[in-house]
Amino acid sequence: MSIFPLPMFERDGDPKFRDGLTDEEIYARLKPPTSMVCKFGRMKLIGEYPYRGDAKPGCGSKLVVRTFRAVEIAEMLTTTCANSGCGKSVSRSEMMTYIENSGGRDYPFQTNGEVLRLATVEDLNRASACNDKASAALPRVREMAADARFPAKIVDLELTLDESLLLVFYLCDERIDFRDLAENLAREFSCRIEMRQVGARDEARLVADYERCGQHCCCKNFLKVLKPISMRSAKIQKATLDPLKISGRCGRLMCCLRYEDSTYEDLRQRLPKNKTRVGTSEGPGIVVDSKILVQLVLVKLDALDGEFGREIAVPVEELMDPNDCPAIGSVATKAKQGDPMRGMNQRAVREKLAAERSTKLAKQDHYHEKATDTNSNQNQNPNASAAPSQAPIGADAGSADGTTPTKKKRRKRKRRTGADANSTDTNPAAERGVSTRSSSAASGDTSSDADDGDDGDDGNDSGAEDASNNASGTNAASGAAGASDAPRRKKRRGRGRRRGGRGGESGGPSSGPSTGPSSPPPTSM
């Protein structure tokens, strides 16, 4: 299918019917720049060089320049001529103002050079080969420096595009003699050798990559003048002076501490100094501490009679004259009413919170134990309410079907004294599973002690029962138990005795169902 030109698009293509210009038309109207600003070298030096070519390069273009050192590959930053027509171009006066504000004479700015041409593919490949050759020669240079006993660290090498100059960067704090090493290197590489001494910050600029903030190191990215940083800036801006948190890749204080130093200084001047007497809405006090960024002041109020002075945080805008502020205790502010912990120190706050938490946990434990007891009673004896009326004669009160009763939760019984304790008739054989009945049950008395069904304290009660029966001479189970049970009863009597009996007027409950009325117990000899 053929494409036919439409009249509307043809009209838009005609410059007579358009207000704007296309990119091709804008580029065609541009004139070649006469001066360019570019950066070059491993140290990112800046130079402004004239250009006499016909090409129209843009920002970021690779150029071949002749600098004060040799022929090198450079990157175009901007143009400083009036006929550039680019929105990123600057005037020469703006550039000089920027250099003056960035370091003045210390700024690495060069003008001795010339832009030869735009870099071609062959130029870029050759520059890459020179970088690889310099990296491969670094171990050899370090070996030669060690043989010559050179008292410095070889940091990096740089080889120019025409391979006529080899720059050796070494780290040293003092001036040293490097002539012997330079002569050996010149014979080894057959080129001119230039030794450059650098410091710790320049070493980071050459070999470092990223900082802990995740960005490129400032010294390698855009900083040209590395001014020293004072410890005062670190103390003002940082809450801690840990060397790992305030030091950069070079081991010195981070350069970014200088960025906000002026802002911190202005904010600090607005705050009162420590131990200064100020006034607040709750009374006068003394400044204990201050926070620069949030502009808060910690004030310790004057102490009342018999009380310690409270500490409150007050914004710097709310500070008053100590002579004009309200007296201590005369004003109950809304903030104090809404915050019951206002003015309390950290220890008092922790103690109060711990007490409230312990009280809450104690209530929760009480409710939990109460619910657990109710559930356990229901699970162990679900027919407890119907047991007294449905239990057959001769069966336990706690067992509705006449089987062995389920052990219930032990409950402390009230102490019995007087006739109730003396009239108690015990049956220790019931604890050993022997089916017995008391004489009262044989005569037709089927009443039982309601407390016996709920009592689970068998050990101590049995010992008390044995002692009572032996004293009165009416132990009905002494002959039925036999001689084999004597050691067991003796062991039980060794436990703590309790005054009184465990039953009422009727005999003790049976541990199992009774098959019929039992014979009268034999008389103990």
Side-chain angles (χ1 to χ4, degrees), residues 178-222:
F178 52 80
R179 289 176 292 182
D180 296 340
L181 179 61
E183 294 177 358
N184 297 335
L185 293 177
R187 288 193 297 268
E188 178 74 17
F189 297 100
S190 301
C191 62
R192 184 163 56 94
I193 303 298
E194 183 175 343
M195 306 291 292
R196 286 295 181 92
Q197 182 179 357
V198 297
R201 295 183 181 273
D202 290 327
E203 180 190 10
R205 174 183 291 178
L206 290 171
V207 299
D209 45 8
Y210 291 91
E211 221 2 297
R212 61 171 53 91
C213 59
Q215 302 293 331
H216 282 282
C217 292
C218 298
C219 55
K220 190 172 184 178
N221 194 15
F222 62 90

Side-chain angles (χ1 to χ4, degrees), residues 3-10:
I3 298 177
F4 297 95
L6 298 178
M8 60 181 67
F9 294 110
E10 293 294 329

Side-chain angles (χ1 to χ4, degrees), residues 245-259:
K245 296 183 179 181
I246 62 176
S247 301
R249 294 289 298 271
C250 57
R252 305 294 194 272
L253 293 177
M254 292 187 296
C255 298
C256 56
L257 293 174
R258 189 160 43 94
Y259 300 160

Side-chain angles (χ1 to χ4, degrees), residues 151-304:
K153 175 185 176 182
I154 304 299
V155 178
D156 201 2
L157 301 178
E158 182 182 358
L159 186 62
T160 59
L161 184 63
D162 55 358
E163 300 184 8
S164 62
L165 176 63
L166 178 64
L167 289 93
V168 180
F169 299 97
Y170 65 94
L171 175 63
C172 189
D173 296 334
E174 302 176 354
R175 294 177 62 89
I176 56 178
D177 187 7
F178 52 80
R179 289 176 292 182
D180 296 340
L181 179 61
E183 294 177 358
N184 297 335
L185 293 177
R187 288 193 297 268
E188 178 74 17
F189 297 100
S190 301
C191 62
R192 184 163 56 94
I193 303 298
E194 183 175 343
M195 306 291 292
R196 286 295 181 92
Q197 182 179 357
V198 297
R201 295 183 181 273
D202 290 327
E203 180 190 10
R205 174 183 291 178
L206 290 171
V207 299
D209 45 8
Y210 291 91
E211 221 2 297
R212 61 171 53 91
C213 59
Q215 302 293 331
H216 282 282
C217 292
C218 298
C219 55
K220 190 172 184 178
N221 194 15
F222 62 90
L223 280 183
K224 304 303 178 185
V225 180
L226 305 178
K227 296 181 180 180
I229 311 298
S230 62
M231 198 65 182
R232 180 188 59 83
S233 301
K235 291 181 179 179
I236 293 176
Q237 300 182 30
K238 297 296 182 179
T240 177
L241 296 180
D242 187 1
L244 298 178
K245 296 183 179 181
I246 62 176
S247 301
R249 294 289 298 271
C250 57
R252 305 294 194 272
L253 293 177
M254 292 187 296
C255 298
C256 56
L257 293 174
R258 189 160 43 94
Y259 300 160
E260 302 175 357
D261 190 24
S262 59
T263 302
Y264 272 87
E265 186 65 26
D266 295 341
L267 293 176
R268 191 175 66 87
Q269 291 179 359
R270 299 177 57 185
L271 297 175
K273 296 182 179 180
N274 292 347
K275 299 183 180 180
T276 303
R277 189 166 181 80
V278 295
T280 65
S281 59
E282 300 185 18
I286 298 177
V287 177
V288 178
D289 196 3
S290 59
K291 299 296 182 181
I292 296 179
L293 289 181
V294 295
Q295 292 288 284
L296 287 178
V297 179
L298 185 63
V299 181
K300 184 177 182 180
L301 301 178
D302 294 344
L304 293 175

